Amino acid sequence: MILRSEYPRPNYVRELWQTLNGQWDFVFDDDDRGMAEEWFRRGLPNPLKITVPFCYQSPYSGIDSQDVHETVWYQREFELPDEWQGKRILLNFGAVDYHALVWVNGHLAGENRGGYASFTLDITDLLRRGANSVTVRAVDRPVTSQPRGKQKARYQNFGCWYTPVTGIWQSAWLEAVGSTYLDHIRMVPDIDRRLLTIDYWLSRYEPDLVLKCDISLAGKLVAATSVAVEERHTLFSDIIPRRDGSLAVDIPAAELWSPESPTLYDVKFTLLKGERVLDEVQTYTGMRKVHAEKGRIYLNNEPYYPRMVLDQGFWPEGVYTAPSVEAIRYDVDMTKKFGFNGARKHQKFEDPYYYYFCDKLGLLVWGEMPAPYIYDEEVCQNITAEWQRLVIQHYNHPSLMAWVPVNESWGVDQLTQPQHADDPRLVHYMVMLYHLTKSLDPTRLVVGNDGWHQAETDIVAIHDYTQDADDLGRKYAAFKQDRHSRAFTHGHQILLSGYRYQGQPIMITEYGGVKAEEQGAEGWGYGEAAKSFDEMLERIAALTNAILEEEEICGYCYTQLTDVEQEVNGLMTCDRKSKVEPERFRAIFGVEPQR
């Protein structure tokens, strides 16, 4: 049985595809022998069986081991359909944590470094008729210079760090395309001009190509255009033609996307050479605009109050990997049923279906880079390389409203240590990530360092886990008097010295985390546990109302949607059972501030 057999990338769909999920041979390589012994050519010795795309640490993998193994190997065979003959074949991986080497039929096909960004390899020239083999070597070292997010790098779980994830944890699949194909696209909605600008990148330039774009709404064609792919050069290079281009499409009387009305336009791209279709991609877009102005967040040019929940994306059966597409949709559905209009996907980039359901059902999302911890040159290289790819790969989701490259100074942890806090590299690194993000995507808000120690930022984002609403009010009053004060529970400056408040929107982006003893679960929450679920609700309501009543605050994010392993302060348990009736949460989180 293949647990995850659906097409893996619902916002960039090709018709000719074949899953590689399911049973693979699998070996731990603790002595690092595989390269020297050429397992990629000779086969894996005495292999176990693993179910891809579940990591070996998870029950659904079939292995369910919590031992530390830095190097693992995967191998399986596949055959191509006869009708794929003459086409180029792409091998796709949704995510492999952390450094992957990939061989096809014993020949190196490519490599990838980064545990969250997807990657694609053109393996056409390595294939043969009949059975083919694919081998993956994944190296995942428990070091803090890797972007880890909430994956522990210690032997035991501790605090808010949980089971680590090694190797393949999102889907693997094959696709068939023509001699030239669409590498990726970027769709930029402009609601003020009712215009959709599209930038595209091909796998290579080829003469006499035409790119056709059809846009429809509810099955009715609303716009269509075709452009010839021109041979383009620059002053600096006339040897190899550029492989990118752009086009613009008018969307008359555009219907706008919002959580309350998540209108999506279907978009079909067809790459033609004469009458021959080289590639066809089905996707979608939402016409919407996000910006900040005069201390408020705006959606589609109207003031908007984000009522968000922190969501860590861990599952008991699959750790990082949801057991099914239905399970992903359930989380989005429950988030909305609880009264939230957004989610901060915390320290993780999620399965593509998560963003698909946020787009489709209407839920705003913050995209947050999984953190390393102690700053050094390796951290800078690892983060900047993968962060750029993640921003580009997730650009087209209308639900994504903000980017978070740093959380709570993780990755620049020296800022919390007085003896190292004056290292000039730390702030330069954060400011660089802010501007790097803006250089890739100027259409969204960027939170420079969610929680504290903020320099350049579009939103002043504050974390505080007091369990007393009056205490929260006193702390915020002190912050209003001095934007550089250390008023909140963590004792850090919200705005770093040297960076003045410039009228940005202010949000409380972590608060609450209330545990109820009535649940009867071992584990922790913030502060003293509530005795009952009723007391839990009273405390959550008081804290939330204190935020809603503060005129200056323009949004919040409650911690958190679900329990995660030893952390039992969610609105749902680890296995997604709501701790009280959803309507009782909605009575708290579904309330707009009275302004």
Side-chain angles (χ1 to χ4, degrees):
M1 179 180 67
I2 301 175
L3 293 178
R4 295 294 301 271
S5 59
E6 70 284 340
Y7 183 82
R9 192 181 52 204
N11 67 319
Y12 200 82
V13 178
R14 289 190 172 102
E15 183 178 347
L16 298 179
W17 75 284
Q18 177 177 311
T19 187
L20 292 179
N21 288 349
Q23 292 286 293
W24 290 55
D25 289 343
F26 182 79
V27 169
F28 298 119
D29 189 9
D30 296 335
D31 297 327
D32 201 13
R33 297 162 38 212
M35 293 291 285
E37 296 178 4
E38 297 186 337
W39 292 355
F40 51 86
R41 185 171 291 120
R42 300 179 180 178
L44 305 186
N46 303 313
L48 304 169
K49 294 292 183 182
I50 191 169
T51 300
V52 167
F54 298 95
C55 66
Y56 79 77
Q57 295 95 335
S58 70
Y60 272 3
S61 71
I63 296 177
D64 194 17
S65 169
Q66 302 308 305
D67 296 335
V68 177
H69 301 282
E70 293 185 15
T71 304
V72 297
W73 289 74
Y74 301 77
Q75 193 170 75
R76 64 160 290 167
E77 290 191 344
F78 64 91
E79 292 191 16
L80 300 178
D82 291 339
E83 58 267 30
W84 288 17
Q85 294 300 319
K87 294 186 175 294
R88 300 207 70 79
I89 307 302
L90 307 181
L91 172 59
N92 302 285
F93 290 92
V96 181
D97 199 350
Y98 174 72
H99 180 201
L101 288 170
V102 182
W103 293 263
V104 172
N105 295 326
H107 299 284
L108 183 64
E111 67 177 311
N112 181 74
R113 190 180 298 272
Y116 299 88
S118 63
F119 64 100
T120 298
L121 303 171
D122 186 334
I123 62 172
T124 311
D125 299 332
L126 305 179
L127 297 171
R128 58 197 178 204
R129 288 187 178 275
N132 293 271
S133 70
V134 57
T135 306
V136 178
R137 176 184 185 258
V139 179
D140 181 30
R141 302 183 63 229
V143 294
T144 58
S145 56
Q146 269 181 212
R148 304 196 62 79
K150 289 298 194 78
Q151 300 180 58
K152 69 181 180 185
R154 290 163 50 169
Y155 284 109
Q156 302 297 326
N157 285 16
F158 69 104
C160 57
W161 283 270
Y162 320 115
T163 301
V165 173
T166 295
I168 301 171
W169 68 272
Q170 287 187 23
S171 292
W173 76 103
L174 300 164
E175 292 177 315
V177 294
S179 54
T180 300
Y181 55 91
L182 279 164
D183 184 87
H184 70 284
I185 57 173
R186 178 174 61 201
M187 296 181 286
V188 187
D190 184 339
I191 69 167
D192 298 317
R193 297 191 294 164
R194 297 296 194 264
L195 187 71
L196 182 68
T197 300
I198 298 164
D199 301 318
Y200 65 86
W201 286 260
L202 305 178
S203 58
R204 65 184 183 114
Y205 171 77
E206 184 176 337
D208 304 321
L209 298 180
V210 171
L211 181 62
K212 189 171 184 291
C213 175
D214 297 305
I215 301 176
S216 58
L217 180 62
K220 181 181 177 181
L221 187 69
V222 297
T225 190
S226 296
V227 295
V229 178
E230 299 179 350
E231 181 174 349
R232 299 170 57 238
H233 297 272
T234 70
L235 172 66
F236 308 100
S237 172
D238 62 2
I239 299 172
I240 299 175
R242 294 178 62 88
R243 63 187 184 99
D244 61 322
S246 63
L247 57 99
V249 185
D250 290 318
I251 310 292
E255 296 187 28
L256 304 185
W257 184 98
S258 70
E260 295 72 30
S261 180
T263 300
L264 295 175
Y265 287 83
D266 294 311
V267 185
K268 181 173 75 171
F269 293 99
T270 308
L271 185 63
L272 298 158
K273 185 159 188 173
E275 298 298 317
R276 183 158 50 98
V277 175
L278 298 185
D279 194 14
E280 188 170 273
V281 171
Q282 295 275 357
T283 184
Y284 59 82
T285 192
M287 296 295 290
R288 67 100 184 88
K289 174 184 177 182
V290 177
H291 77 285
E293 182 181 343
K294 297 179 180 178
R296 290 286 179 259
I297 292 169
Y298 287 76
L299 178 64
N300 299 332
N301 294 325
E302 298 290 337
Y304 199 85
Y305 195 96
R307 307 184 314 275
M308 308 180 75
V309 68
L310 195 83
D311 182 0
Q312 314 238 24
F314 276 71
W315 280 267
E317 311 95 331
V319 189
Y320 256 22
T321 310
S324 67
V325 168
E326 290 74 22
I328 299 172
R329 177 169 184 151
Y330 180 84
D331 277 7
V332 177
D333 277 331
M334 293 305 290
T335 299
K336 290 180 68 73
K337 284 183 179 179
F338 289 161
F340 299 106
N341 58 24
R344 180 176 162 216
K345 181 56 72 167
H346 190 41
Q347 287 299 294
K348 182 189 180 190
F349 267 81
E350 193 54 87
D351 185 296
Y353 273 91
Y354 178 81
Y355 304 100
Y356 168 75
F357 286 124
C358 290
D359 295 338
K360 187 177 179 66
L361 302 177
L363 190 71
L364 290 168
V365 190
W366 288 18
E368 183 173 321
M369 183 66 207
Y373 289 92
I374 307 299
Y375 180 82
D376 58 28
E377 292 179 355
E378 187 177 0
V379 161
C380 187
Q381 294 175 73
N382 289 342
I383 290 294
T384 52
E386 189 166 14
W387 179 241
Q388 291 178 76
R389 294 168 59 202
L390 289 165
V391 170
I392 291 167
Q393 289 174 8
H394 292 80
Y395 183 96
N396 292 322
H397 290 289
S399 59
L400 257 165
M401 64 162 287
W403 301 111
V404 184
V406 182
N407 171 72
E408 290 188 348
S409 298
W410 296 347
V412 285
D413 192 67
Q414 293 95 322
L415 281 172
T416 67
Q417 306 164 21
Q419 68 272 31
H420 299 299
D422 60 352
D423 184 341
R425 299 177 303 167
L426 308 178
V427 177
H428 286 313
Y429 167 77
M430 292 195 300
V431 171
M432 175 273 296
L433 284 173
Y434 171 87
H435 288 291
L436 178 63
T437 309
K438 286 290 193 181
S439 75
L440 295 170
D441 182 5
T443 72
R444 288 182 174 90
L445 305 176
V446 178
V447 182
N449 182 6
D450 204 307
W452 52 72
H453 290 157
Q454 288 157 65
E456 297 283 352
T457 190
D458 293 336
I459 296 174
V460 175
I462 299 170
H463 297 180
D464 191 275
Y465 281 110
T466 181
Q467 300 294 292
D468 182 336
D470 291 337
D471 182 49
L472 180 60
R474 288 190 294 270
K475 289 174 177 177
Y476 195 82
F479 170 69
K480 290 174 75 173
Q481 291 297 313
D482 178 6
R483 303 298 190 181
H484 300 97
S485 69
R486 303 173 185 270
F488 295 99
T489 50
H490 43 71
H492 302 308
Q493 290 181 316
I494 300 300
L495 293 176
L496 285 169
S497 299
Y499 290 87
R500 64 182 180 86
Y501 177 58
Q502 297 179 304
Q504 301 101 315
I506 299 172
M507 291 180 62
I508 306 298
T509 51
E510 286 188 30
Y511 78 102
V514 184
K515 173 188 175 181
E517 291 182 356
E518 181 178 335
Q519 182 179 346
E522 292 187 6
W524 65 275
Y526 287 94
E528 183 178 348
K531 296 293 187 290
S532 65
F533 289 136
D534 285 343
E535 184 182 335
M536 175 190 77
L537 286 168
E538 290 172 4
R539 190 182 302 176
I540 294 171
L543 291 166
T544 304
N545 288 336
I547 294 170
L548 291 170
E549 290 167 2
E550 173 52 59
E551 177 74 22
E552 192 177 70
I553 296 173
C554 69
Y556 63 74
C557 180
Y558 181 81
T559 302
Q560 60 186 337
L561 183 64
T562 71
D563 295 347
V564 185
E565 300 184 9
Q566 73 271 14
E567 189 173 353
V568 292
N569 52 20
L571 304 177
M572 294 190 287
T573 61
C574 292
D575 56 356
R576 277 36 181 195
K577 291 181 174 62
S578 183
K579 294 181 181 179
V580 301
E581 295 83 0
E583 294 76 15
R584 301 184 72 186
F585 288 134
R586 189 175 188 86
I588 299 171
F589 299 119
V591 176
E592 291 278 354
Q594 300 299 311
R595 298 280 166 83

